[in-house]
């Protein structure tokens, strides 16, 4: 069944989402390499840049789309409770990279309609790069002030020939303190090349056709919502690590890949062992 038509122009929403990334960047870059982190109650890191960037984006959304709600990593949910559309924000995905002065952290911005992401922006302030997409409009990559170019995932391949990335060994069988966990060791043994690019950067590489697949064992909605339109509009597959393609932002994990057969291979290989 075809998705219901959008009540407003997604191209305009995508342009606005890209503008939001620029708004966030104004708060982030002046603090890059000079910002200390504190720990939140859940143990994750947060900086002044995270908080101020999210608040700046929230103000812009409230002015442009007052009938939309917002879900952000730092300040939770705001806006109309029964809103059809919701913006989902992660001002700095990869705060640990940001604090270390490594430039592969990103700003994630999604627009979801009835919990289904329809717009996604993956912006890398320190690199000057952006991957962005909207349903039916393709996936686009821009570097610096250059012209955006449409990007696509790699051609189909098998796991044995695939280049795969993971954000770390947390939540996997490689952690000695873990119980039943995703079998990341199986991917390492069976893929052609394994790298640990980390966080949203690895999924942007999938969209750009630089690697074949990327694995995240632990995800929140603000971590994954923006990735879904980008991966799918680039011709790839996005799901949880169990292979579920519905309700992915709330699924707790994320897998992006260049094709359905490779995706299924990875899902099977990752399946926790009894």
């Amino acid at each position: 069944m075809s998705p219901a038509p959008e009540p407003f122009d997604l191209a305009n929403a995508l342009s606005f989402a890209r503008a939001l990334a620029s708004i966030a960047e104004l708060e982030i870059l002046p603090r890059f390499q000079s910002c200390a982190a504190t720990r939140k109650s859940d143990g994750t890191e947060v900086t002044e840049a995270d908080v101020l960037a999210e608040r700046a984006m929230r103000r812009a959304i409230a002015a442009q789309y007052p009938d939309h709600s917002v879900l952000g990593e730092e300040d939770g949910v705001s806006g109309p409770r029964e809103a059809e559309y919701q913006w989902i924000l992660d001002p700095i995905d990869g705060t640990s990279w940001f604090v270390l002065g490594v430039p592969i952290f990103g700003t994630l911005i999604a627009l979801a309609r009835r919990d289904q992401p329809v717009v996604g922006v993956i912006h890398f302030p320190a690199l000057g790069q952006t991957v962005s997409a909207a349903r039916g409009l393709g996936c686009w990559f821009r570097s610096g002030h250059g012209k955006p170019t449409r990007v696509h995932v790699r051609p189909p391949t098998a796991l044995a020939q695939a280049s795969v990335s993971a954000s770390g060994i947390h939540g996997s069988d490689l952690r000695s303190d873990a119980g039943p966990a995703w079998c990341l060791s199986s991917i390492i043994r069976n893929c052609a090349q394994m790298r640990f690019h980390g966080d949203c950067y690895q999924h942007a590489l999938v969209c750009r056709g630089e690697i074949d697949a990327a694995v995240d064992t632990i995800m929140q909605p603000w971590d994954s919502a923006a990735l879904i339109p980008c991966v799918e509009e680039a011709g790839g597959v996005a799901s949880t690590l169990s292979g579920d393609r519905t309700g992915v932002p709330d699924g707790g994990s994320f897998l992006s890949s260049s094709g359905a057969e490779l995706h299924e291979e990875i899902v099977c290989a990752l399946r926790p062992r009894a």
Side-chain angles (χ1 to χ4, degrees), residues 11 73 121 128 221:
E73 179 177 8
V121 170

Side-chain angles (χ1 to χ4, degrees), residues 32-33 92-106 126-127 197:
F32 182 45
Q33 299 180 323
I92 301 179
D93 182 65
T95 300
S96 60
W97 296 118
F98 176 78
V99 173
L100 289 171
V102 180
I104 61 171
F105 63 89
L127 296 175
H197 294 293

Side-chain angles (χ1 to χ4, degrees), residues 23-68:
I23 290 170
E25 182 177 298
L26 294 175
E27 300 291 347
I28 293 169
L29 280 186
R31 296 172 173 86
F32 182 45
Q33 299 180 323
S34 63
C35 197
T38 59
R39 294 280 178 181
K40 295 186 284 189
S41 59
D42 63 1
T44 59
E45 292 178 296
V46 64
T47 70
E48 180 182 50
D50 292 88
V51 174
L52 295 180
E54 182 172 308
R55 290 178 182 174
M57 289 190 285
R58 285 176 180 271
R59 288 192 295 270
I61 293 167
Q64 182 73 17
Y65 295 111
D67 56 334
H68 292 190

Side-chain angles (χ1 to χ4, degrees), residues 163-265:
S163 175
V164 183
S165 175
S167 60
I169 64 172
H170 51 284
S172 81
D173 62 329
L174 298 176
R175 285 286 298 268
S176 60
D177 59 343
W182 302 110
C183 196
L184 189 61
S185 63
S186 178
I187 303 299
I188 294 172
R189 287 194 303 269
N190 291 292
C191 72
Q193 184 182 64
M194 188 73 192
R195 293 289 184 267
F196 289 86
H197 294 293
D199 301 303
C200 61
Y201 189 70
Q202 60 179 355
H203 301 289
L205 291 176
V206 172
C207 295
R208 293 169 52 194
E210 301 293 342
I211 61 176
D212 296 289
V215 176
D216 260 300
T217 57
I218 301 173
M219 295 284 266
Q220 299 292 337
W222 46 80
D223 298 317
S224 59
L227 308 176
I228 297 166
C230 294
V231 171
E232 294 183 345
E233 286 296 315
V237 182
S239 78
T240 67
L241 296 190
S242 63
D244 184 7
R245 297 184 65 179
T246 63
V248 178
D250 295 313
S253 61
F254 191 77
L255 170 63
S256 63
S257 76
S258 58
E261 291 185 10
L262 172 62
H263 205 88
E264 182 59 27
E265 249 194 295

Side-chain angles (χ1 to χ4, degrees), residues 129-141:
Q129 297 179 352
T130 307
V131 173
S132 58
R135 292 293 183 206
L137 299 180
C139 182
W140 300 84
F141 173 66

